[in-house]
Amino acid sequence: MDKFKQLESFALVATRGSLTAAARAEGVAPAIMSRRMDALEARLGVKLLVRTTRRLALTHEGSAFLEDCQRLLADLANAEAGVSAGGLQASGHLRITAPAGFGRRHVAPLVPDFLARHPEVTLSLNLSDRVVDLAAEGFDCGVRVGDLPDSSLVSVRLADNRRLCVATPDYLRRHGIPLHPGDLVRFDCLTLSSEASQTRGWAFTVDGQVEYLRPGGRVDCSDGQVLHDWCLRGLGLAWRSTWEVEADIAAGRLVEVLGNFAAPPNGIHAMLPQRKHLPLRLRLWIDHLRRHFAHPAFSSRALA
């Protein structure tokens, strides 16, 4: 049996989390994938995977071997790309994830031009407001907006992101205007539900220090676009990014409040499971993101 195919299959099984998922991704029967794993473990004389009817886990030796396999596979992909079409031809599949609203507006529109530049690359884009586990779910890159939790992921900062507290003029006429972040306890605040939120709360600068508040209200939602729509309907105050609400503010549909307490910008980041040995297609995708978010048109329109 091809040793390289065994290594490739092992890496696929480990990242997809099951023999069935790996077999489906490669288009073979699960039994074939199982035989490859058996043959690899027999050849190495060590147990790499612990398989039960309900889950699959890597042994200590399997975790160490996976890192070596991924490095070897990446080196091979880079070597092939380096001699293909003068070193400029990327190929293979990219799995990308991004927050739903931001991804629709600022990531999805970048895909057609990227694919036109690199016709041998295929791409899957997942849009979700939940916190995606890149390594466990087999994603090559995630775009994230806001504060970053502590993790082993590698982050590449693409741009700044400013957040505003907004409401409709009618809501403010009926309920008054908050003059201090502490006043938010008296208002209906439209917040992301806990399972969707990637932030520590609404951030404000108070007495020179950044403070995080978790205001409450009658409703919350896991989808940021829904919160935006509810805010426009006058249900309460929302804390949204400039790129979401700038047009509404310019048109008078929304008004910024607590602007004197605005916190410094957080970031828009590209997140990677690892820094070294990135395949050419992924390096080119990161460069593509950097060019877009560094463009003055984006900075002045979305982040001013």
Side-chain angles (χ1 to χ4, degrees), residues 135-285:
E137 299 181 45
F139 285 99
D140 300 296
C141 174
V143 176
R144 292 186 178 167
V145 180
D147 300 320
L148 296 178
D150 294 335
S151 75
S152 60
L153 298 177
V154 177
S155 66
V156 178
R157 193 177 183 97
L158 301 171
D160 289 339
N161 178 65
R162 193 162 73 90
R163 307 296 293 269
L164 312 176
C165 192
V166 296
T168 62
D170 179 66
Y171 179 88
L172 297 175
R173 280 193 296 268
R174 289 185 287 114
H175 297 276
I177 299 174
L179 301 178
H180 186 277
D183 296 339
L184 292 175
V185 295
R186 299 187 290 104
F187 291 83
D188 291 314
C189 295
L190 307 171
T191 60
L192 280 172
S193 52
S194 58
E195 67 269 19
S197 179
Q198 298 183 24
T199 72
R200 288 172 283 180
W202 296 14
F204 298 96
T205 301
V206 180
D207 296 329
Q209 301 293 320
V210 176
E211 294 186 1
Y212 294 90
L213 305 178
R214 286 199 174 274
R218 295 171 61 196
V219 294
D220 61 33
C221 184
S222 62
D223 187 282
Q225 182 60 51
V226 171
L227 296 179
H228 184 188
D229 294 341
W230 284 348
C231 186
L232 288 170
R233 295 288 297 273
L235 286 188
L237 294 157
W239 192 64
R240 311 306 300 159
S241 294
T242 307
W243 58 266
E244 296 176 277
V245 298
E246 57 164 356
D248 296 314
I249 292 174
R253 293 185 292 269
L254 293 176
V255 176
E256 180 183 5
V257 298
L258 299 175
N260 291 336
F261 296 92
N266 53 29
I268 300 170
H269 295 85
M271 307 299 297
L272 308 170
Q274 61 179 1
R275 183 185 301 276
K276 296 181 179 180
H277 311 293
L278 300 181
L280 178 61
R281 60 184 177 275
L282 182 53
R283 297 202 306 269
L284 292 172
W285 171 251

Side-chain angles (χ1 to χ4, degrees), residues 92-109:
H93 190 66
L94 280 175
R95 297 191 72 231
I96 310 298
T97 183
F102 186 82
R104 281 191 295 267
R105 189 175 300 190
H106 287 296
V107 179

